[in-house]
């Protein structure tokens, strides 16, 4: 019997990256449960799937690294072959296929485009279902501001002066009508992205429950923490760096490897809540979608008094006109934190390289060069565990217990829980700390 298929189309900024990373990292465990999370469309995000159904000129915002150096056309042709082969090779025990790509909602905008996707997937499954999470428009736009910065759109943070007629991505009634018209209303599983309405207040747990998958994912699992926003200082830093790069001869581009490396480093160093508009500004924006949201409520959530939780607007005057300027002091503090982290990461990378060279010299029986390499590692990172351990072992081999004990003292202070530290302590007859 053919498996069921669940197509998760987003929206973006509703925990999609976390869901995708959790699923991508657990393919073997899912396979044991009879669930296939295909690899051909992407390791985590299955963006190749909708990308293969539109013209190439629509893919300018895609990360160029996805094309793996062979260009979009050739890479998408390979995806089509690989995906067909992967689906043909599904084991008989597969009961469910899951596909997840928030780009579906952004790229596939016409009945013809959505119909091409349905025609591609229908032969694979006995039943198709489409999962979509809806987030209140003001929250979604504010959350997406950081993502816009990441793709080199360095506009100042402010809510747009437009409604559904120009911001079609926020016309949820049209979105749901489009997909229901192609897949059928009964196939749509529509969820509201609000903590009180999600299983355990979490998008990953909610999606797994929706799919009927009994898979334990610890709350502190790093895959749950994906695509985080930035601190206010981090946002100001990206705005400042973007403006500076824009004025350089090479210019600013989302495709720039330099910009992407900078954004990744800033995201890892400065995670935060992102930009938050003034409630009065958010309320004015949200009010333009009142009719759209009421249409969605009537059709899909008739038992709810309103589609989304209300926005609380405090009393008092609204903020001053115009977007906020860059806070140079906050940008500087963020830059210093980023610089410190990059220096530390660089030192660790250098130390690891020296330690690897030391291990190679040891395998070749060259103890002198090995010691030199390990000591170079310690100049970069004084408590580097491999270098400290190997130098201690070499000292023991030479009968120099005093030096070995000195290295052990560093390991016990800096890396007390490592197995190598405990083994060395046992060899030296020293109680573990």
């Amino acid at each position: 019997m053919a498996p069921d298929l669940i197509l998760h189309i987003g929206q973006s900024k509703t925990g999609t990256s976390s869901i995708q990373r959790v699923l991508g990292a657990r393919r073997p465990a899912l396979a044991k449960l009879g669930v296939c999370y295909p690899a051909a469309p992407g390791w985590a995000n299955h963006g190749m799937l909708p990308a293969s159904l539109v013209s190439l000129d629509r893919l300018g915002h895609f990360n160029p690294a996805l094309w793996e150096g062979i260009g979009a056309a050739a890479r998408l042709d390979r995806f089509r072959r690989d995906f067909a082969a992967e689906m043909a090779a599904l084991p008989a025990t597969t009961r469910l296929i899951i596909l997840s790509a928030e780009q579906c909602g952004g790229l596939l905008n016409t009945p013809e485009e959505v119909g091409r996707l349905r025609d591609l997937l229908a032969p694979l499954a006995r039943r198709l279902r489409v999962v979509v999470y809806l987030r209140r428009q003001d929250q979604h736009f504010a959350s997406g501001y950081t993502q816009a910065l990441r793709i080199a759109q360095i506009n100042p943070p402010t809510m747009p002066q437009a409604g559904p007629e120009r911001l079609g991505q926020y016309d949820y009634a049209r979105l749901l009508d489009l997909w229901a018209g192609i897949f059928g209303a009964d196939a749509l599983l529509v969820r509201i992205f609000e903590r009180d309405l999600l299983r355990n207040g979490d998008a990953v747990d909610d999606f797994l429950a929706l799919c009927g998958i009994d898979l334990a994912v610890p709350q502190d699992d790093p895959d749950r923490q994906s695509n985080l926003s930035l601190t206010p200082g981090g946002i100001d830093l990206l705005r400042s760096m973007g403006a500076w790069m824009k004025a350089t001869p090479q210019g600013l581009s989302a495709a720039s490897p330099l910009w992407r490396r900078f954004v990744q480093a800033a995201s890892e160093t400065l995670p935060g809540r992102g930009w938050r508009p003034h409630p009065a500004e958010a309320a004015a924006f949200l009010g333009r979608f009142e009719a759209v949201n009421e249409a969605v409520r009537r059709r899909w959530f008739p038992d709810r008094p309103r589609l989304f939780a209300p926005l609380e607007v405090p009393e008092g005057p609204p903020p001053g006109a115009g977007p906020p300027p860059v806070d140079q002091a906050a940008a500087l503090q963020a830059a210093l934190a980023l610089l410190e982290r990059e220096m530390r990461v660089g030192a660790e990378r250098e130390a690891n390289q020296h330690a690897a060279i030391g291990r190679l010299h040891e395998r070749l029986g060259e103890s002198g060069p090995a010691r030199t390499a390990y000591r170079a590692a310690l100049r970069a990172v004084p408590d580097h565990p491999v270098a400290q351990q190997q130098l201690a072992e070499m000292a023991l081999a030479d009968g120099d217990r005093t030096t070995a004990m000195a290295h052990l003292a560093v390991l016990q202070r800096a890396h007390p829980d490592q197995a190598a530290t405990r083994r060395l302590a046992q060899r030296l007859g020293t109680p573990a700390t």
Side-chain angles (χ1 to χ4, degrees), residues 231-315:
T231 63
I235 289 173
D236 287 321
L237 176 59
L238 259 64
R239 291 177 63 189
S240 299
M241 183 66 168
W244 181 83
M245 287 184 64
K246 196 172 183 179
T248 61
Q250 69 270 22
L252 174 65
S253 167
S256 165
L258 177 62
W259 175 254
R260 288 186 174 276
R261 288 173 66 91
F262 171 73
V263 166
Q264 181 178 356
S267 299
E268 293 171 353
T269 307
L270 306 163
R273 292 187 59 204
W275 169 64
R276 292 291 184 271
H278 187 279
E281 186 183 9
F285 176 74
L286 186 60
R288 302 185 193 110
F289 297 89
E290 185 175 350
V292 165
N293 291 346
E294 175 57 18
V296 173
R297 185 203 67 79
R298 285 198 307 269
R299 181 173 183 186
W300 301 95
F301 300 94
D303 296 333
R304 289 178 59 81
R306 55 190 304 152
L307 184 61
F308 297 115
L311 172 65
E312 296 184 5
V313 182
E315 296 182 359

Side-chain angles (χ1 to χ4, degrees), residues 61-78:
H61 69 288
F62 273 60
N63 185 340
L66 291 174
W67 313 135
E68 299 179 357
I70 62 175
R75 179 64 186 89
L76 290 170
D77 282 343
R78 196 181 85 198

Side-chain angles (χ1 to χ4, degrees), residues 84-101:
E86 187 174 14
M87 293 297 96
L90 285 178
T93 54
T94 302
R95 64 175 180 85
L96 176 64
I97 303 167
I98 298 177
L99 294 163
S100 177

Side-chain angles (χ1 to χ4, degrees), residues 5-12 14 16 19-20 96-102 104-105 121 128-134 175-176 179 183-192 198 203 206-212:
L5 189 149
I6 288 180
L7 173 65
H8 175 218
I9 65 169
Q11 294 177 306
S12 62
T14 59
T16 50
I19 291 169
Q20 291 160 356
L96 176 64
I97 303 167
I98 298 177
L99 294 163
S100 177
E102 63 270 29
C104 286
L121 301 181
L128 296 175
R129 287 175 291 169
V130 178
V131 175
V132 57
Y133 286 80
L134 303 179
L175 172 71
L176 297 178
W179 286 80
F183 284 85
D186 292 342
L188 264 62
L189 301 175
V190 187
R191 301 285 290 164
I192 302 297
L198 301 176
D206 195 79
F207 184 77
L208 292 175
L210 200 63
C211 296

Side-chain angles (χ1 to χ4, degrees), residues 54 58 104-114 174 178-179:
V54 300
R58 300 265 302 279
C104 286
L107 279 176
L108 309 181
N109 296 318
T110 67
E112 293 74 21
E113 291 168 346
V114 177
R174 178 189 176 279
L178 171 63
W179 286 80

Side-chain angles (χ1 to χ4, degrees), residues 17-18 21-22 26 217-228:
S17 295
S18 297
R21 289 180 62 86
V22 163
R26 289 161 178 80
V217 183
Q219 289 297 319
D220 60 353
D221 190 285
D223 289 322
R224 287 181 177 270
Q225 306 302 317
S226 302
N227 204 16
L228 298 176

